């Protein structure tokens, strides 16, 4: 499975949303499911799926679907080589 597919699957399952909502407009608190509890569920699933441990600053900065991909690339999770 491609990295982007895993990433998308986590968003879809954690927030119980349709794949069509995964775009630049998806940001923290723009949907009711992405509140502080949903955020920590998202972080936990990403850490487990990609076998990483986010720094606290990255957890705080992870405020959008797009920003999440940038942050994951800091942990050598590659999206652009698929």
């Amino acid at each position: 499975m491609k990295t982007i597919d895993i990433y998308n699957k986590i968003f879809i399952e954690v927030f119980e949303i349709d794949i069509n909502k995964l775009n630049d407009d998806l940001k923290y608190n723009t949907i009711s499911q992405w509140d502080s509890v949903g955020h920590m569920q998202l972080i936990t699933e990403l850490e487990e799926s990609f076998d990483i441990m986010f720094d606290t600053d990255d957890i705080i900065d992870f405020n959008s679907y797009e920003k999440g991909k940038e942050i994951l690339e800091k942990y050598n999770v590659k999206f652009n080589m698929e």
Side-chain angles (χ1 to χ4, degrees):
M1 185 178 279
K2 292 180 181 180
T3 302
I4 190 66
D5 294 332
I6 296 167
Y7 185 69
N8 288 345
K9 183 175 184 269
I10 292 168
F11 268 84
I12 290 166
E13 290 179 357
V14 169
F15 297 138
E16 298 177 347
I17 57 174
D18 186 81
I19 194 165
N20 296 325
K21 290 203 178 213
L22 300 179
N23 57 49
D24 295 345
D25 295 329
L26 183 58
K27 296 181 169 85
Y28 181 77
N29 274 334
T30 58
I31 57 172
S32 61
Q33 303 92 314
W34 198 348
D35 57 8
S36 59
V37 173
H39 187 71
M40 292 314 298
Q41 289 173 331
L42 175 66
I43 295 299
T44 299
E45 290 297 323
L46 290 167
E47 287 180 333
E48 289 177 6
S49 294
F50 294 113
D51 195 26
I52 59 172
M53 181 70 86
F54 287 112
D55 291 333
T56 302
D57 289 339
D58 289 329
I59 294 171
I60 294 166
D61 290 343
F62 196 123
N63 61 5
S64 73
Y65 174 78
E66 287 301 316
K67 183 69 175 178
K69 290 191 276 188
E70 291 176 30
I71 291 171
L72 282 168
E73 288 194 356
K74 288 174 43 179
Y75 295 87
N76 293 318
V77 176
K78 303 295 182 200
F79 288 91
N80 58 357
M81 297 188 170
E82 302 179 56

